[in-house]
C-alpha cells in the first residue's frame, strides 16, 4: 500500500541558508501534519493543513512557512536556518473516518527528513 | 494544557517477562489516546488506539480516566518488541498529536 513520502530523506545546509521539505500524503488523505523532532526529544507539532487550508498551528518559528498544494502535497519552507533547526522533520497524513463512537483520525507518518544545519 | 508523560525513558526486560509502559496525560475534555511504535530504521506507526479496545501484537492498553493513564501492557515480551514507544493524545476529530517523551524498550534474550 502507498505510504506517506517525504523528500529529501537527508539534507545538509549551512546557517542562514534556506531549505524546502516536501511531503506527499497517502492518496485520498485530506489532512497533512508537520512535526519536528530534535535530538532526544519527542515529536513537536508544527502546522497542519486540511483541504489546502491551514487548520492548526503549533510552535512553528516565523522563519518557517508551509502550504498544501492542489494535489495535496505539502512543502515546509525554512529560511535563515539556525543550528537549532537541526532535527528530524516528520510529515503525517490522515483522512477523517466516521465511526459509531464519533469521527476518528489516524495519522500515518512518513519516514522523515533529517535536516542538519552546519 | 495538553500534556503526555512517559516516566521511563528506558525499559529493559527479559524475553517472556511481562511488560508495562506507563503513560499519563493531562487534557481538559475527552482526548483520543494512542500508542505509536518506531522499530529500528522504520517510520512511526500506530500500534493501538483507545477507542478500538483491541489487542495488537499481544499489546493492550486501557484508558483509565480517573487516573488519567493509558498504560501499555503485554504479558509475555518477545525480542521483536524492542523499539521506541510513544504515547500520544489528540482532541476529537482531525487534530494534532501531542506526544510523550517516548520509552525505549529493550527485550533481552
Amino acid at each position: 500500500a502507498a505510504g506517506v513520502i517525504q523528500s529529501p530523506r537527508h539534507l545538509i545546509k549551512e546557517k542562514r541558508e534556506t531549505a524546502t521539505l516536501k511531503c506527499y500524503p497517502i492518496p485520498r488523505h485530506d489532512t497533512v501534519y508537520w512535526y519536528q523532532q530534535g535530538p532526544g526529544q519527542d515529536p513537536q507539532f508544527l502546522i497542519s493543513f486540511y483541504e489546502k487550508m491551514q487548520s492548526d498551528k503549533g510552535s512553528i518559528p516565523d522563519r518557517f512557512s508551509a502550504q498544501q498544494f492542489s494535489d495535496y502535497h505539502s512543502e515546509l519552507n525554512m529560511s535563515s536556518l539556525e543550528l537549532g533547526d537541526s532535527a528530524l522533520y516528520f510529515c503525517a497524513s490522515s483522512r477523517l473516518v466516521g465511526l459509531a463512537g464519533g469521527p476518528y483520525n489516524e495519522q500515518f507518518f512518513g519516514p522523515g527528513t533529517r535536516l542538519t544545519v552546519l | 494544557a495538553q500534556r503526555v508523560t512517559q516516566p521511563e525513558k528506558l525499559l529493559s526486560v527479559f524475553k517472556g517477562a511481562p511488560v508495562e509502559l506507563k503513560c499519563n496525560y493531562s487534557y481538559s475534555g475527552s482526548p483520543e489516546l494512542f500508542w505509536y511504535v518506531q522499530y529500528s530504521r522504520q517510520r512511526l506507526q500506530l500500534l493501538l488506539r483507545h477507542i478500538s479496545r483491541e489487542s495488537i501484537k499481544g499489546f493492550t492498553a486501557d484508558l483509565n480516566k480517573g487516573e488519567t493513564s493509558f498504560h501499555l501492557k503485554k504479558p509475555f515480551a518477545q525480542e521483536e518488541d524492542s523499539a521506541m514507544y510513544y504515547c500520544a493524545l489528540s482532541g476529537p476529530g482531525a487534530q494534532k498529536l501531542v506526544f510523550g517523551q517516548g520509552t525505549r524498550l529493550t527485550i533481552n534474550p
Side-chain angles (χ1 to χ4, degrees), chain A residues 4 33 35 37 42-43 45 56 90 96 99 103-107 109-111, chain B residues 9 32 34 36 38 43-44 46 49 51 86 93-97 99-101:
Chain A
V4 176
Y33 310 79
Y35 295 87
Q37 185 176 27
D42 52 295
F45 170 73
D56 196 2
F90 288 109
L96 211 56
L99 295 178
Y104 165 68
N105 163 41
E106 177 179 347
Q107 295 185 26
F109 282 80
Chain B
K9 293 197 77 170
E32 296 181 24
F34 306 86
Y36 277 81
Q38 188 171 32
R43 64 188 67 191
L44 270 169
L46 180 66
R49 49 190 188 254
I51 61 171
Y86 290 97
Q95 295 197 31
K96 66 187 179 193
L97 287 168
F99 287 90
Q101 301 91 326

Side-chain angles (χ1 to χ4, degrees), chain B residues 35-97:
Chain B
W35 276 99
Y36 277 81
V37 60
Q38 188 171 32
Y39 300 103
S40 180
R41 297 195 187 91
Q42 295 187 27
R43 64 188 67 191
L44 270 169
Q45 55 187 282
L46 180 66
L47 179 65
L48 283 178
R49 49 190 188 254
H50 88 270
I51 61 171
S52 61
R53 303 179 69 82
E54 58 194 344
S55 174
I56 303 291
K57 298 184 179 182
F59 284 98
T60 59
D62 290 320
L63 179 60
N64 185 322
K65 292 184 179 179
E67 296 182 358
T68 59
S69 68
F70 188 56
H71 303 327
L72 184 68
K73 300 178 184 179
K74 183 169 183 176
F76 307 103
Q78 298 172 292
E79 288 185 63
E80 54 265 34
D81 295 329
S82 294
M84 192 74 176
Y85 291 80
Y86 290 97
C87 182
L89 69 76
S90 77
Q95 295 197 31
K96 66 187 179 193
L97 287 168

